[in-house]
Amino acid sequence: MKGKQMQQKTERRISGALRIVLVALLLVIQIGMVLLLTLVLQQYVAWVYAVLELLALICTLRIYNRPGSGTYKASWIVLILAMPVVGLILYLLWDGERPSKRLNLKPVKPVHENEQQREHSALNVEKLRRKLPAWERLATYLERQGFLLYQNTTVRYLPTGEAYLEDMLERMRQAEHFIFLEYYIVGRGQIWDRVKEILLEKVRHGVEVKFIYDDFGSMLRMPDEELDQLRAAGIGVACFNPIHQYVNRIYFNYRSHRKITAIDGNIAYAGGVNVADEYANLVERFGYWKDTGVRLEGEGAWGLTREFIHMWERLGGQMEQDHDYYRPHGPMSGAGWCQTLADGPDNNPTSVAEDVFLQMICGARQMVYLTSPYLAIDENMRKALCIAGNSGVDVRLMMPGIPDKKYAYLVAESYFGELLQNGVKIYTYTPGFIHSKTVLADREVAFVGTVNMDYRSFQLHFENGVVFYDSPAIESLLEDMEQTMDQSRLVTWEDWKRRSWLRKLLGSTLRIFSAWM
């Protein structure tokens, strides 16, 4: 039996690897053809090459003057100026300026919120203003982006991947009406076997079950026969952005990095945790895997259910009931307020998630603590952190002690010097890898979700999260952050300066192209 499982695992990895190799090979062929064309133009059609150089210059001016990420613009400008023809052609092939027109997503409007629901949200904003006037601007900003402010919601902070998954599995067992799952990584293993068992049992009892997975995140880890088994049982399954469909442009850059579980209208989960064994530390990767999430119970659960429904319909799926069927019902209670948010590349150059981070950092008066596995930020984010640190705000950033991607950590490390000089404290988690994405400000407002502090999360990926205000869960998050710092090493200016010259060179070079990593 064990030998058969090993054989199936090997076959699955080979199948996924072949798909990646095919796409990579076709991309290499594209680049090779561009280089060959450049050589031909240089040698035989000099005037055409000169025209292309002029166009490359015009293109860099256009990139520089358009709105959007400075990091992303700098990456293209450096490439185009260094290799005008190659850079220009690659930019025309691969640039993500209009991803909404490139992704195979239906132009479906978000789930409608009626006038009464919007008025109720506006009333909640007014209540929040009286209790927490410093954060009324943040709540108003999110509301104007279409994310209503909810009361009567119990927010439970889940400080580990193990706690998140066990809590989620227990609530799934109790489902009576529907279970919706949307995850970036779904990997076969002990956790998936337990999830699948529950889903198959529930659909046999008439529970509506729908499941969205990201192709790039899951293809090496989720065999087709598992998905076919779900479909045969009556479970709706949708794949986000299959990578083999878009080889002529790097469409597979745009991923659904979201993590959502919605159950029966009243329960929903969000955070950094995917459905795979390493998130529950059943297998070891990069030491102890530190992750977090939240469970919403009450009115606020609708915000995550709503985002799942919207994505399901954008992928061409249909709901079995009217949208209102999936709303929360029955008596609900809970302290404080919460707002769920969703973001994606079709909002570019606006990034709701980045704007939320900036407002929390700039609005903090006493302290702001952050956790992120990656750090590749624009000048506006660096400036916000430095100004806060120089203004007497206690700014603390927690990052992995054992990174999963060495090149990404070199990029993150290149920012440390400026942050340290401006009063930001940086901690590296000694037991292993921090994958959680959290922000806490002044013990009054917090964010937990899928958003990393890097260009990919802010501009390329579809993301989601929860902002909660004046909730007991904030104290739980703070306690967990303090425990995390107790297990971490405080980075000093002397540590950062002692890096080898090669490490400094690699970090500075990779930082220029961090928007593509």
Side-chain angles (χ1 to χ4, degrees), residues 155-158 164 268-271 292-296 448 466 468 473:
V155 182
R156 181 183 176 190
Y157 175 69
L158 301 164
Y164 178 100
Y269 293 81
T292 61
V294 290
R295 184 188 76 212
L296 305 183
V448 176
V466 181
F468 44 104

Side-chain angles (χ1 to χ4, degrees), residues 237-394:
V237 179
C239 176
F240 182 91
N241 199 14
I243 70 167
H244 60 278
Q245 291 186 5
Y246 308 105
V247 179
N248 66 313
R249 297 177 185 265
I250 307 186
Y251 291 168
F252 60 82
N253 236 345
Y254 306 113
R255 309 313 322 167
S256 178
H257 195 238
R258 294 178 181 177
K259 290 94 178 169
I260 295 174
T261 297
I263 303 169
D264 286 354
N266 288 0
I267 301 290
Y269 293 81
V273 183
N274 284 295
V275 181
D277 287 354
E278 64 267 29
Y279 293 86
N281 285 289
L282 296 174
V283 295
E284 184 174 321
R285 297 185 65 201
F286 320 111
Y288 181 80
W289 192 291
K290 170 65 175 168
D291 222 322
T292 61
V294 290
R295 184 188 76 212
L296 305 183
E297 188 166 2
E299 291 179 4
W302 168 244
L304 294 172
T305 305
R306 173 179 179 259
E307 293 305 329
F308 177 92
I309 293 172
H310 187 217
M311 181 60 78
W312 181 262
E313 293 181 337
R314 293 188 75 185
L315 291 171
Q318 294 183 337
M319 304 306 297
E320 296 179 15
Q321 309 287 341
D322 291 335
H323 291 159
D324 286 344
Y325 170 83
Y326 305 100
R327 292 181 181 274
H329 53 276
M332 291 169 282
S333 63
W337 299 265
C338 70
Q339 280 173 299
T340 60
L341 66 90
D343 200 6
D346 41 9
N347 296 335
N348 290 350
T350 298
S351 170
V352 173
E354 184 177 19
D355 290 346
V356 166
F357 280 30
L358 286 168
Q359 289 202 53
M360 292 180 71
I361 294 166
C362 296
R365 304 176 305 284
Q366 290 139 10
M367 51 86 77
V368 57
Y369 294 173
L370 310 98
T371 67
S372 178
Y374 313 114
L375 187 71
I377 49 180
D378 273 344
E379 183 178 358
N380 55 354
M381 187 68 72
R382 298 200 309 273
K383 197 76 172 174
L385 290 167
C386 291
I387 290 174
N390 268 324
S391 302
V393 176
D394 184 8

Side-chain angles (χ1 to χ4, degrees), residues 2-18 188 220 223 225:
K2 187 175 181 181
K4 185 177 180 181
Q5 289 178 340
M6 288 295 293
Q7 182 182 1
Q8 290 175 340
K9 186 176 181 180
T10 302
E11 290 173 353
R12 182 169 73 251
R13 289 188 177 278
I14 291 173
S15 174
L18 285 175
R188 195 174 186 182
L220 290 176
E225 57 266 25

Side-chain angles (χ1 to χ4, degrees), residues 46-111:
W47 68 270
V48 175
Y49 184 81
V51 169
L52 287 173
E53 283 189 308
L54 178 61
L55 289 175
L57 178 60
I58 295 171
C59 186
T60 59
L61 293 174
R62 180 177 180 275
I63 293 170
Y64 178 79
N65 285 294
R66 82 182 192 191
S69 165
T71 300
Y72 182 70
K73 291 190 285 187
S75 300
W76 278 116
I77 289 171
V78 168
L79 178 63
I80 292 172
L81 290 180
M83 296 183 290
V85 178
V86 174
L88 176 63
I89 295 174
L90 293 180
Y91 174 78
L92 295 175
L93 283 173
W94 295 350
D95 176 47
E97 186 175 0
R98 298 188 176 219
S100 60
K101 297 189 180 301
R102 300 180 176 184
L103 287 166
N104 189 25
L105 295 174
K106 290 189 174 182
V108 178
K109 291 183 178 180
V111 178

